[in-house]
Amino acid sequence: MSADQWIALVAGIVGGALRVGAPFLFVSLGECLTEKSGRINLGLEGVLVLSAMAAFGGAWLSGSPWQGVLAGAVAGALLALLHGLLCSLKGVNDVATGIALMLLGTGLAFYLGKPLIQPQAPQLPAIPLGNWSDIGAVRAALKLNALVPIGLLIAVVLWWGFGRTRAGLLVRMAGDSADATRALGYSVAGLRIAATTAGGAIAGLGGASLTLFYPGSWNEGISSGQGLIAVALVIFARWNPLRCIWAALLFGGAGAVGPALQSIGIGWGYHLFNTVPYVLTLLILVITCRPGKVATGSPGELSSTR
């Protein structure tokens, strides 16, 4: 390959990591906040799909992509709130409820989103990072989703909040010891509902990035399981919001290898490379989730989830 092709390939992978990794970033941050409170939300796949539909519909109806983003965040928060309320009932299993709400969210999105398959909604603005290059493929690849800086800010705020604020301490306490939280007079259910709802709103931004930036349209296969992969991302990041950034970039870059190769004329193995994020997910789960072994940084209450 020529030097220009190598530059275009690297730019394609880096740009793809930023584009493909954006939904991973938001959903993993939302799940990180949820799990820090001692609750697992496998329904984030449904949250992602429903918020993607709501964001696209909101942008299409209002003519503003940012109103679409707000609609996606609200839809994600509402579905996550339902998960939080149901899981606060006695004898309700977090995992089973999450699976049920995943099916509910995707079903609602497919039903309500039927009229949105053909229309085009206004898209989020792109931040150009490749203007330093004269190569058109590089400039096209290095266009940053305007939501990504917001995601980076959320990651920093969560990291700072968990370690430096009273609210963050309460969330961590609810996740590490429900008994200690109750002994201090705080509502474990209330804290977990609040954290789950906020996590759903953050994940909803990931849905908005799918339909309002890349791939930039609404269809029933928009998610490809990214909401479920986020659970593995959180484990890989050891429940650290800053590490979620690097984990999202890793998974985004893995998913961008195939398109980057295709952009420079190498089509062999395209579909094989598309499986890389799923293979990484399996490897992470096999390595980190062993019977009798608690992952470093895991909230204590997760091991006792009913």
Side-chain angles (χ1 to χ4, degrees), residues 140-178:
L142 296 180
K143 289 185 176 180
L144 182 66
N145 182 347
L147 285 177
V148 170
I150 297 176
L152 298 177
L153 178 61
I154 291 174
V156 173
V157 169
L158 287 178
W159 170 78
W160 176 79
F162 286 145
R164 301 293 182 87
T165 67
R166 181 183 182 84
L169 177 61
L170 290 175
V171 169
R172 288 170 50 205
M173 185 167 59
D176 286 330
S177 176

Side-chain angles (χ1 to χ4, degrees), residues 31-57:
E31 181 65 6
C32 181
L33 175 57
T34 301
E35 292 191 13
K36 276 286 192 180
S37 72
R39 174 155 292 153
I40 297 174
N41 187 3
L42 293 183
L44 284 181
E45 174 70 12
V47 168
L48 187 66
V49 177
L50 182 63
S51 62
M53 183 279 299
F56 190 86

Side-chain angles (χ1 to χ4, degrees), residues 12-27:
I13 294 175
V14 172
L18 294 171
R19 288 192 302 274
V20 180
F24 286 127
L25 174 61
F26 286 109
V27 181

Side-chain angles (χ1 to χ4, degrees), residues 89-168:
L89 300 176
K90 185 177 181 180
V92 175
N93 183 276
D94 289 11
V95 174
T97 304
I99 294 173
L101 288 183
M102 176 178 67
L103 298 175
L104 174 64
T106 53
L108 281 175
F110 295 167
Y111 177 74
L112 298 175
K114 289 290 185 183
L116 302 175
I117 293 177
Q118 293 298 328
Q120 290 297 314
Q123 298 290 290
L124 289 166
I127 302 173
L129 299 180
N131 288 344
W132 52 269
S133 175
D134 295 328
I135 303 173
V138 173
R139 292 198 300 272
L142 296 180
K143 289 185 176 180
L144 182 66
N145 182 347
L147 285 177
V148 170
I150 297 176
L152 298 177
L153 178 61
I154 291 174
V156 173
V157 169
L158 287 178
W159 170 78
W160 176 79
F162 286 145
R164 301 293 182 87
T165 67
R166 181 183 182 84

Side-chain angles (χ1 to χ4, degrees), residues 211-272:
T211 50
L212 299 182
F213 189 81
Y214 178 82
S217 61
W218 161 249
N219 63 76
E220 294 181 352
I222 193 74
S223 168
S224 301
Q226 292 180 59
L228 291 173
I229 291 176
V231 178
L233 271 176
V234 174
I235 297 172
F236 180 63
R238 292 293 186 265
W239 293 268
N240 184 317
L242 295 184
R243 290 180 181 175
C244 285
I245 298 173
W246 303 112
L249 288 175
L250 174 63
F251 273 68
V257 172
L261 288 172
Q262 193 176 48
S263 70
I264 61 171
I266 300 176
W268 179 89
Y270 175 80
H271 296 291
L272 180 63

